[in-house]
Amino acid sequence: MKRELSLDVFRGLTLAAMILVNTPGSWSHVYAPLLHASWHGLTPTDLIFPFFLFIVGAAMFHSMGRIPKGQIPWIKIVKRTLLMFLIGFALNIYPFTGDPENWRIMGVLQRIALCYFVGALLILTLSARGVWLASAAILLGYWLLMQVSPDPWSLEHNLVRQMDMAVLGADHLYQGFGMPFDPEGLLSCLPAVVTLLAGYLTSSMLAACATHQLKIKTLLTWAAIALLAGLLWHPLQPINKALWTGSYVLVCSAFAWLILALIIYCHDIKQWQKGFYWAQVYGSNPLFFYVLSWLYAATLGQVIRFDVDGKTISAYQWLFQLLSDMMSQKNASLLFALIAVGLHYLLSAWLYKRKIFIKI
């Protein structure tokens, strides 16, 4: 099966955007589109994680396409799931100086690992039609299950938080919402699986389309249906990244299909390929650069420290201050992030040129 170059470009754009929003010079000085919605709602930044899951699913079409239905390579799937989960957990506790009683268990890679495991089982046991039906059943089932709480979409009382508190414990959850709540919670992994499956189904569709025009037509049709369904569902189940609601899944999938249609039009029909080559290069080692970008920020912020005018500051703070002395703090914060994007690209280009692709 021939790889779809538009998906490689999409992966590179998503990786660059992820580093951009995750590495500002200061979280107190960030332009609004580069921040997550505070609770309900959607910003451009809220699209990045679902795009990653979407891309994982798209790649699974090729990695699992030759495996006969019903023949599940359990060792390979379990090994990859555990390895991704453990890498994500290790990033949570780096540089390994915190109290184990407060270590956060879940996270981005941990969610990807769990979604990969469930998604692989569904992909290898169901037909394409079965995957569509399973996706619909998961979204509807999650919506109904959340109704167990009298205030299902609130921060304090939602079922996702209640389950994580009971299973993981308050001290092992993310603490950034003013109370213990994990945006990568256990229960909300269920609708996140559908985001992964949307990517798988997209690769399946693109492989079956004979022309670029048909690919674009199909993607735009899917996008219109998903966007309309997500917006109609929003009053009953608000678009919410932290809870990964069904409406959020539909709207984010719609945006993924719209962007893919645009990439295919520009890259394959208009042949503006040189302008996208950098993104194809950038996306060639996605897991490696996700881990590296985390270590880059954590090392600058927590490991490398020195004295400036009798005060101990981190290298992260020092570099931001250096930039903010030359421009506004928001622009300095943005430039700090752009420098991180550029540095990671230089390494990705070096690896790509030498055909070094790091996978697990």
Side-chain angles (χ1 to χ4, degrees):
M1 290 176 288
K2 185 179 179 182
R3 291 185 62 85
E4 182 67 41
L5 288 179
S6 61
L7 288 166
D8 292 337
V9 171
F10 187 37
R11 180 170 54 240
L13 293 172
T14 301
L15 183 62
M18 181 272 293
I19 295 174
L20 180 70
V21 303
N22 282 356
T23 325
S26 168
W27 286 105
S28 300
H29 304 284
V30 181
Y31 286 104
L34 302 179
L35 292 170
H36 291 292
S38 57
W39 190 241
H40 298 325
L42 191 73
T43 72
T45 299
D46 292 320
L47 297 172
I48 294 173
F49 188 10
F51 284 1
F52 257 106
L53 267 176
F54 182 96
I55 291 163
V56 170
M60 290 170 71
F61 173 76
H62 297 280
S63 64
M64 297 183 174
R66 296 182 179 88
I67 302 175
K69 292 291 183 183
Q71 294 187 17
I72 301 174
W74 286 102
I75 294 177
K76 179 180 179 181
I77 291 173
V78 171
K79 178 183 175 181
R80 193 162 193 233
T81 298
L82 290 175
L83 190 54
M84 275 196 290
F85 194 100
L86 290 174
I87 291 172
F89 178 69
L91 291 178
N92 279 355
I93 63 177
Y94 177 81
F96 315 114
T97 57
D99 185 349
E101 293 185 0
N102 297 318
W103 283 351
R104 183 186 175 201
I105 295 174
M106 294 297 290
V108 169
L109 282 183
Q110 296 91 311
R111 166 157 288 181
I112 292 176
L114 296 178
C115 291
Y116 166 80
F117 179 79
V118 176
L121 298 185
L122 293 174
I123 288 167
L124 291 173
T125 55
L126 300 175
S127 63
R129 182 171 180 270
V131 172
W132 279 110
L133 293 174
S135 299
I138 290 171
L139 292 185
L140 289 171
Y142 180 71
W143 175 45
L144 294 173
L145 188 59
M146 291 290 283
Q147 308 301 319
V148 169
S149 169
D151 193 5
W153 314 117
S154 69
L155 170 59
E156 185 175 1
H157 300 293
N158 68 80
L159 189 61
V160 173
R161 180 172 184 268
Q162 293 175 34
M163 178 176 289
D164 288 339
M165 293 277 284
V167 176
L168 303 176
D171 292 337
H172 297 293
L173 305 184
Y174 181 71
Q175 305 293 323
F177 282 85
M179 64 179 65
F181 170 79
D182 210 306
E184 283 81 49
L186 293 171
L187 183 61
S188 53
C189 283
L190 285 174
V193 169
V194 179
T195 303
L196 179 144
L197 294 176
Y200 169 81
L201 291 166
T202 301
S203 275
S204 177
M205 178 276 293
L206 292 175
C209 287
T211 66
H212 297 310
Q213 288 79 2
L214 182 56
K215 292 176 183 178
I216 291 175
K217 181 180 178 180
T218 306
L219 287 169
L220 292 179
T221 301
W222 287 9
I225 293 171
L227 187 59
L228 179 60
L231 293 176
L232 289 175
W233 210 358
H234 174 66
L236 298 175
Q237 183 182 202
I239 295 169
N240 186 302
K241 175 191 177 293
L243 295 174
W244 214 279
T245 54
S247 55
Y248 173 73
V249 171
L250 292 171
V251 170
C252 290
S253 297
F255 276 109
W257 290 323
L258 288 171
I259 293 172
L260 269 176
L262 180 61
I263 293 172
I264 292 172
Y265 174 77
C266 295
H267 184 274
D268 297 320
I269 294 180
K270 301 300 289 185
Q271 295 290 303
W272 297 338
Q273 296 176 355
K274 288 185 178 180
F276 288 99
Y277 179 73
W278 72 270
Q280 188 176 339
V281 171
Y282 216 146
S284 57
N285 280 295
L287 177 61
F288 173 75
F289 278 101
Y290 175 82
V291 172
L292 183 65
S293 67
W294 186 296
L295 295 176
Y296 167 86
T299 300
L300 288 180
Q302 301 179 51
V303 178
I304 303 176
R305 295 178 176 273
F306 40 81
D307 289 334
V308 176
D309 298 328
K311 181 180 179 181
T312 301
I313 64 171
S314 69
Y316 204 109
Q317 292 171 310
W318 180 80
L319 288 169
F320 170 67
Q321 187 59 52
L322 193 67
L323 294 173
S324 61
D325 288 341
M326 298 182 285
M327 61 192 74
S328 71
Q329 289 183 311
K330 279 192 174 181
N331 286 339
S333 186
L334 177 60
L335 180 57
F336 187 103
L338 289 171
I339 290 171
V341 173
L343 290 174
H344 285 78
Y345 173 73
L346 291 175
L347 179 56
S348 70
W350 185 85
L351 292 173
Y352 189 84
K353 184 177 180 180
R354 286 156 183 76
K355 301 186 185 304
I356 299 173
F357 305 109
I358 303 167
K359 300 178 180 180
I360 60 172

